[in-house]
Amino acid sequence: MADVVETLGNVPLFQGVKPKELKKLAGRMQERTFSEGDAITTEGKSGIGFFLIEDGNATVSVDGKIIRTLGPGEYFGDIALIDSGPRSATIIATTDLRCQGLTAWEFRPFIEEHPEVAWPMLETLASRLRDAEKRG
């Protein structure tokens, strides 16, 4: 679990969250496995959750073009924890994949039970919005 807590701390959405709360969040995550070739997310479709990769690899593609490969210690779907908007990319397991996952419907009760996590997340989202507005 230590690696999961450390990795959560590297996720921009959770960067302001204290290690004690990250450990509680990690305790809510469940192992999820995908077989080679499985589509974990599909661009344009709604997302079901957030995943930290523990073992294996996956490709990320946008408009059918592979833009990067994900491996152990990397993550995807953090914004899907907050809104059910469309996924920005398709993610395909290129090997058997073992992840720690959390769905939006599991995350919301966690935030309600641990409101001290919400404020740092709001600050991070506000910062990301400001950055996006500057670029746009």
Side-chain angles (χ1 to χ4, degrees), residues 11-14 45-46 51-52 55 60 62 64 68 75 78 81 84 87-88 103 110 116 124:
V11 175
L13 183 63
F14 302 126
K45 305 284 183 180
S46 65
F51 299 93
L52 292 176
D55 189 45
V60 180
V62 176
R68 65 182 289 209
Y75 61 89
D78 48 330
L81 289 173
S84 57
R87 291 288 190 160
S88 59
T103 63
F110 175 81
E116 65 277 9
T124 297

Side-chain angles (χ1 to χ4, degrees), residues 1-15:
M1 171 141 65
D3 288 340
V4 173
V5 173
E6 184 178 326
T7 303
L8 284 172
N10 293 328
V11 175
L13 183 63
F14 302 126
Q15 282 184 340

Side-chain angles (χ1 to χ4, degrees), residues 7-85:
T7 303
L8 284 172
N10 293 328
V11 175
L13 183 63
F14 302 126
Q15 282 184 340
V17 178
K18 294 178 182 172
K20 179 180 174 184
E21 279 75 36
L22 291 176
K23 186 173 181 177
K24 291 175 187 174
L25 181 59
R28 294 279 181 103
M29 299 181 82
Q30 297 178 8
E31 185 171 287
R32 306 265 162 73
T33 58
F34 302 94
S35 297
E36 181 179 346
D38 285 353
I40 305 161
T41 70
T42 302
E43 183 177 2
K45 305 284 183 180
S46 65
I48 61 162
F50 167 70
F51 299 93
L52 292 176
I53 298 173
E54 289 188 303
D55 189 45
N57 295 296
T59 58
V60 180
S61 62
V62 176
D63 296 326
K65 181 181 175 193
I66 295 174
I67 59 170
R68 65 182 289 209
T69 298
L70 299 173
E74 295 185 285
Y75 61 89
F76 56 94
D78 48 330
I79 300 303
L81 289 173
I82 298 169
D83 89 352
S84 57

